[in-house]
Amino acid sequence: MISRRRLTFQLTPLLDLLLIVIFAQFMDTQETTARIEQRAEQQIEQAESKAKKYSELSDAAQQKSIALAEQNAQVARKAEQSKQAAAELEQRMRTMQQLSEKKNQELSEQLKVAQEQRNRVGELVQELFQLPDSLVDPLLKSKSDPDSEQTKAKIEQIRKQLQDLAGARAEDVIKHFLTYDELTKRSDIWELYLTENGVFRLKIGKQTIDFRADSPEEFVDRVYSFYKTVPQPKSLVIILFSYGDAKASVRFAATQGLPLVAERMRADSSGRTRYEYAVMGFAPEKPEVTN
């Protein structure tokens, strides 16, 4: 009996030790399993995070690729449009060059024709001024005093001018008329004519007035009154006075009154317009044309 009890007391500690060892191994296994599971979860989370990042990077790369493809397409379209625009511009330039060459050719031909016409006009004008004495004499000689020295000098001066124009080159003749044309553009020409019956006929533009004047004072008043009714003249007014076979006293009223009325009109315009006059001399009265 005593020996059985000893055996019982020896097995109990061993059993306790065994249980402790098993429990320790179990706890160690649990801890190891927990650490492994934790690591696995961390690795899974890391893998998921990386996968998410890779997915985001892939989406961004895909979007960039799409945007780049669109940009390339736009660049290609713009390049095609630029190519078409360049082709159209080149075509337009060729067309404009052709039109310019055609226009230059037309202008050159027109200039050539104009030069030929100018030369022909100059030649005709030269022929026009080669007037016979039988036609020139009645126009130059005054019926009142044809033999006076003043009249002879004036006739000789006019003859010389006609001869110079008749012998000049076409270009010089045309230049003479262009000079006169430029003068008329910058000045007004008033024509004053004294008829054989003593009536003054003053023509200003399209307006004409007939009046009588037996003295310089009366002449000044008549002309000045008509001057006040016409539009504002240019900066220079030239009064050309010619006369028919009128009385010397009436001609005297005009020749003495012209400088007076010119000064009066200049003062009235406050110096804005200068008034000059020229006595052209005798000119046969033109017959009125009747229909």
Side-chain angles (χ1 to χ4, degrees), residues 102-115:
K102 183 178 179 181
K103 189 67 175 178
N104 289 336
Q105 184 178 0
E106 292 177 354
L107 290 175
S108 178
E109 293 176 354
Q110 292 176 1
L111 179 61
K112 182 179 179 180
V113 172
Q115 289 176 345

Side-chain angles (χ1 to χ4, degrees), residues 90-285:
E90 184 178 0
Q91 180 64 29
R92 289 180 181 177
M93 290 180 65
R94 284 199 299 268
T95 303
M96 291 178 63
Q97 184 178 2
Q98 293 174 357
L99 292 175
S100 178
E101 292 176 354
K102 183 178 179 181
K103 189 67 175 178
N104 289 336
Q105 184 178 0
E106 292 177 354
L107 290 175
S108 178
E109 293 176 354
Q110 292 176 1
L111 179 61
K112 182 179 179 180
V113 172
Q115 289 176 345
E116 292 177 352
Q117 291 178 347
R118 184 199 63 180
N119 294 335
R120 181 54 183 161
V121 169
E123 293 172 358
L124 291 175
V125 171
Q126 289 178 352
E127 295 176 3
L128 176 64
F129 284 111
Q130 293 175 354
L131 302 176
D133 294 339
S134 60
L135 181 62
V136 174
D137 288 342
L139 296 175
L140 298 181
K141 292 182 179 180
S142 171
K143 294 180 182 180
S144 57
D145 50 354
D147 298 327
S148 66
E149 293 299 325
Q150 183 179 2
T151 301
K152 289 180 180 180
K154 188 67 175 178
I155 292 175
E156 189 62 28
Q157 180 183 359
I158 295 174
R159 284 185 183 277
K160 187 176 185 306
Q161 291 177 350
L162 291 174
Q163 290 174 358
D164 291 341
L165 288 173
R169 296 180 305 169
E171 292 80 0
D172 295 334
V173 176
I174 293 175
K175 182 179 179 180
H176 174 79
F177 281 98
L178 290 178
T179 303
Y180 175 77
D181 182 62
E182 290 299 321
L183 176 63
T184 56
K185 288 179 181 178
R186 291 168 173 76
S187 61
D188 288 333
I189 305 296
W190 293 5
E191 298 179 7
L192 177 64
Y193 183 76
L194 176 59
T195 64
E196 295 181 357
N197 57 4
V199 175
F200 288 99
R201 181 174 295 117
L202 178 58
K203 183 179 180 182
I204 302 177
K206 296 182 179 180
Q207 295 180 279
T208 303
I209 185 175
D210 291 348
F211 63 91
R212 288 182 178 274
D214 297 328
S215 65
E217 293 76 12
E218 189 176 2
F219 175 85
V220 171
D221 292 338
R222 295 283 187 171
V223 174
Y224 185 80
S225 298
F226 186 43
Y227 146 80
K228 297 295 287 185
T229 64
V230 298
Q232 176 66 35
K234 298 175 183 177
S235 59
L236 174 62
V237 173
I238 301 176
I239 306 173
L240 301 180
F241 173 51
S242 57
Y243 48 85
D245 189 14
K247 292 181 180 180
S249 59
V250 183
R251 295 203 311 270
F252 180 81
T255 55
Q256 295 300 310
L258 279 171
L260 300 176
V261 74
E263 178 61 25
R264 184 175 178 183
M265 291 185 294
R266 187 199 65 78
D268 181 72
S269 66
S270 300
R272 292 189 302 270
T273 302
R274 192 179 70 196
Y275 293 87
E276 302 290 345
Y277 65 93
V279 179
M280 307 302 293
F282 173 76
E285 187 173 356

